[in-house]
Amino acid sequence: VGEGETEDYPAGEAVPHLQTLAATLQSAGLVKGKDFVEHVAEGDEQNEAAWSKRFDQVLIFLYGKQ
């Protein structure tokens, strides 16, 4: 999640929502770093352009590094 929210996502809500989601996943028995990753992209916004800069990290997490 990008910490630099935009008008499409209310300021100050993205990071706390991510933290709540991570806590919920952990309480359900999932393991951070194994089953999911919680990452705050400092200075990035909540939009497709920002996500595309780090989407390779998502694919590597899901499928491993080739």
Side-chain angles (χ1 to χ4, degrees):
V1 68
E3 71 171 0
E5 292 112 355
T6 63
E7 62 189 45
D8 294 330
Y9 203 98
E13 292 186 15
V15 174
H17 285 175
L18 173 63
Q19 292 167 337
T20 299
L21 174 61
T24 301
L25 294 173
Q26 287 180 301
S27 69
L30 286 101
V31 177
K32 184 176 174 180
K34 177 181 176 242
D35 299 314
F36 71 96
V37 174
E38 175 186 7
H39 176 74
V40 177
E42 295 183 28
D44 274 356
E45 296 180 341
Q46 291 291 357
N47 57 41
E48 290 81 358
W51 301 329
S52 71
K53 292 191 301 187
R54 57 187 182 269
F55 193 71
D56 62 323
Q57 297 170 25
V58 174
L59 296 175
I60 290 169
F61 177 77
L62 292 174
Y63 301 107
K65 193 168 187 168
Q66 297 292 322

